[in-house]
Amino acid sequence: MASAAEQLASNLNFSTFAKAEDLKKRLWFTLGALLVYRLGTHIPIPGLNPGAYAQAFHNQSGGILGLFNMFSGGAVQRMAIFALGIMPYISASIIVQLMTSVVPALENLKKEGEQGRKIINQYTRYGTVLLGALQAYGIAIGLEHGNGVVLDPGWFFRLSTVVTLLGGTMFLMWLGEQVTSRGIGNGISLIIFAGIAAGLPTAVGGTLELGRTGALSTGLILAVLVVAVLVIGLIVFVERAQRRLLIQYPKRQVGTRMFQGDTSHLPLKLNTSGVIPAIFASSLLLLPATVAGLGNNTALPTWVTSIVAALGHGQPIYMVLYGALIAFFAFFYTALVFNPKDTADNLKKHGGFIPGIRPGERTAEYIDYVLTRITVIGAIYLVFVCILPEILVSQTGIPLSLGGTSLLIVVSVTLDTVAQIQGHLIAQQYEGLIKKSKLRGGKRGR
């Protein structure tokens, strides 16, 4: 079956795409949704002094605030209605998924299949509302502490800011779900991808401008660009790498005929967790600095400003925590999406077995052993890809959009989306072959 799918994939051409009407509708829907998102990042919230806010943002754009702005697609720089972005939803997802591992009631819901998943998703939405409201209120307070940023401070501004920013986040959450179900790719990941990709041309232009003014040497710029290309190549290689476990099926007899046992492979991705660890780690590190980064530090307690300073982008504590969180979520999310016991049970149910390994519990232990080993490699790869470019960015002043996290998200989401497009094209070609065989069968019957 795998060889047949590979043969179909190699035969895909433009005519196959031209006939895939459903795929074209999904692509147009996805592009339309991303266009709506980009338009929303340019609509500012009411009650701000644009000049004063631009100056306040410029003074703090080199740290956590700049990273937050990168994930929001530039919405923070303009304090647009989508300034909160999708980060409250991601933070709520982290909390709910962690709770499913420690709260028995949520763990039981997870085992109930589709119905349980819907209830867990509803809890995630409630958590998004709570976190989004808290973050929006903190942003409103922080803006009021700015020098002349808010035209008319007070409860009306705070309430309107909370409603606007929270409404923007809930709309993006809904939009992401619509893209996932009616478009191509994972909607939430594509929204983050669109925001980062929109900033790449500006980042490249800003880097070249630094070289023109003499702030960066030509050799250093070329070295950073070479590192970026090498990192992209490494991401493509590792994201497509698999550890294939040989699966054998015994001989079977149908009537008087004996069929030879089949063989197949159980593919285990080297990086099963994908881009999720980098997004989760960034989200958690952005959370405590969301309010403090926008406000006037003199109005905050000393311990808060100390924590914010220690978690500044490029600081040693930030790098250590970032790497540790990426490694943790690499293992946590892999364990969440891949259950060796369920896989072993399914193999046993269909008569499949790994040569030399007893079916059942021993197979589950072996799969878990292999998965743990390759996840160690995957975690090291993620930490390396995310940390090394971030160090270069923090030391050279090159825009954050050329950092490791942004490159990982852009390349990984692109690969995933292209794979889904190829899947739709292969399904389209399968349907065409089935229709042709039915037509030929009907003609022979006549």
Side-chain angles (χ1 to χ4, degrees), residues 301-376:
T302 305
W303 63 272
V304 174
T305 56
S306 299
I307 292 176
V308 173
L311 291 177
H313 191 264
Q315 296 298 320
I317 294 180
Y318 171 87
M319 293 296 184
V320 171
L321 285 177
Y322 189 40
L325 286 172
I326 289 175
F328 167 76
F329 281 118
F331 283 93
F332 173 77
Y333 197 75
T334 298
L336 199 66
V337 299
F338 192 96
N339 190 326
K341 188 176 185 305
D342 291 344
T343 304
D345 290 341
N346 289 331
L347 288 175
K348 186 177 181 180
K349 186 185 301 180
H350 293 90
F353 63 93
I354 299 175
I357 306 296
R358 187 182 305 169
E361 186 175 346
R362 295 284 295 176
T363 298
E365 292 176 356
Y366 178 75
I367 294 175
D368 183 62
Y369 169 73
V370 174
L371 188 64
T372 301
R373 291 175 65 189
I374 63 176
T375 302
V376 170

Side-chain angles (χ1 to χ4, degrees), residues 29-41 67-75 78 81-90 167-181 184-199 275 279 406 409-410 412-414 416-417:
F29 181 85
T30 303
L31 291 174
L34 295 181
L35 178 61
V36 170
Y37 162 64
R38 291 303 303 157
L39 290 174
T41 60
L67 190 62
F68 199 15
N69 182 60
M70 181 190 72
F71 280 117
S72 66
R78 295 177 285 271
I81 58 176
F82 291 159
L84 270 183
I86 206 69
M87 287 304 170
Y89 176 76
I90 295 175
T169 294
M170 299 306 295
F171 176 79
L172 287 181
M173 181 182 68
W174 173 84
L175 190 65
E177 292 175 351
Q178 294 302 307
V179 170
T180 301
S181 61
I184 288 290
N186 182 285
I188 302 299
S189 298
L190 280 173
I191 287 175
I192 298 176
F193 163 84
I196 296 175
V275 72
I279 296 177
S406 56
I409 293 173
V410 169
S412 298
V413 173
T414 301
D416 180 62
T417 305

Side-chain angles (χ1 to χ4, degrees), residues 75-228:
V76 173
Q77 182 178 359
R78 295 177 285 271
M79 192 43 64
I81 58 176
F82 291 159
L84 270 183
I86 206 69
M87 287 304 170
Y89 176 76
I90 295 175
S91 300
S93 298
I94 297 171
I95 295 172
V96 171
Q97 289 181 6
L98 287 172
M99 290 178 65
T100 56
S101 302
V102 296
V103 179
L106 290 177
E107 189 175 1
N108 293 333
L109 280 176
K110 182 182 174 183
K111 296 178 181 178
E112 291 180 5
E114 184 65 21
Q115 187 62 31
R117 188 181 66 81
K118 289 181 179 179
I119 297 175
I120 292 176
N121 286 343
Q122 195 63 28
Y123 289 155
T124 304
R125 295 187 185 99
Y126 294 150
T128 302
V129 173
L130 179 60
L131 289 177
L134 291 175
Q135 286 183 273
Y137 182 76
I139 288 175
I141 296 297
L143 290 172
E144 287 187 340
H145 286 149
N147 296 324
V149 172
V150 179
L151 296 176
D152 187 18
W155 278 106
F156 180 77
F157 170 78
R158 298 174 192 174
L159 181 61
S160 64
T161 300
V162 169
V163 171
T164 304
L165 294 180
L166 180 59
T169 294
M170 299 306 295
F171 176 79
L172 287 181
M173 181 182 68
W174 173 84
L175 190 65
E177 292 175 351
Q178 294 302 307
V179 170
T180 301
S181 61
R182 300 171 59 185
I184 288 290
N186 182 285
I188 302 299
S189 298
L190 280 173
I191 287 175
I192 298 176
F193 163 84
I196 296 175
L200 286 178
T202 304
V204 173
T207 303
L208 296 178
E209 180 64 20
L210 290 175
R212 188 187 68 81
T213 57
L216 293 177
S217 65
T218 303
L220 182 59
I221 293 177
L222 291 176
V224 170
L225 292 178
V226 168
V227 169

